[in-house]
Amino acid sequence: MELIEKERLYLKFHGERHIAEEASELDQFIDIFKRHDKNDISSAMQKQEISYLIKDEGGVSDELLSEFVDLMKPNENDMRDALEGLGLKHMIRKK
């Protein structure tokens, strides 16, 4: 009750609170994968010091990068199986 009252008084005298929400590093990394830009993915992986996952003897490999992106993006069938396994069949769209 005290917290509610404090919030009510704050809103009355100070107006709305604007809390700046920053995307987490994971959210930013996932957004890069959604854009499918290999250069951005490669540089983000180097920033996070996980570029060894996509390097071979000659440096960053396009083939390894493509394989990594394919592994990170969920497959439609895998998602369907996961949702069914969690009992969320209503979330699966029928084609």
Side-chain angles (χ1 to χ4, degrees), residues 34 50 57 84 88 93:
K34 287 180 181 177
I50 56 172
E57 299 82 27
E84 286 177 357
L88 302 171
R93 291 186 190 158

Side-chain angles (χ1 to χ4, degrees), residues 20-71:
E21 292 184 26
E22 283 189 34
S24 69
E25 286 184 48
L26 179 60
D27 290 337
Q28 292 172 0
F29 196 57
I30 290 171
D31 287 340
I32 292 170
F33 275 97
K34 287 180 181 177
R35 289 193 304 260
H36 305 290
D37 185 5
K38 290 185 178 185
N39 292 329
D40 287 345
I41 294 170
S42 178
S43 63
M45 290 181 74
Q46 288 174 358
K47 248 188 237 179
Q48 297 294 326
E49 298 178 1
I50 56 172
S51 60
Y52 63 88
L53 295 170
I54 57 171
K55 285 185 178 178
D56 59 10
E57 299 82 27
V60 174
S61 165
D62 282 341
E63 184 179 334
L64 291 175
L65 180 59
S66 295
E67 287 177 19
F68 184 77
V69 169
D70 288 341
L71 286 172

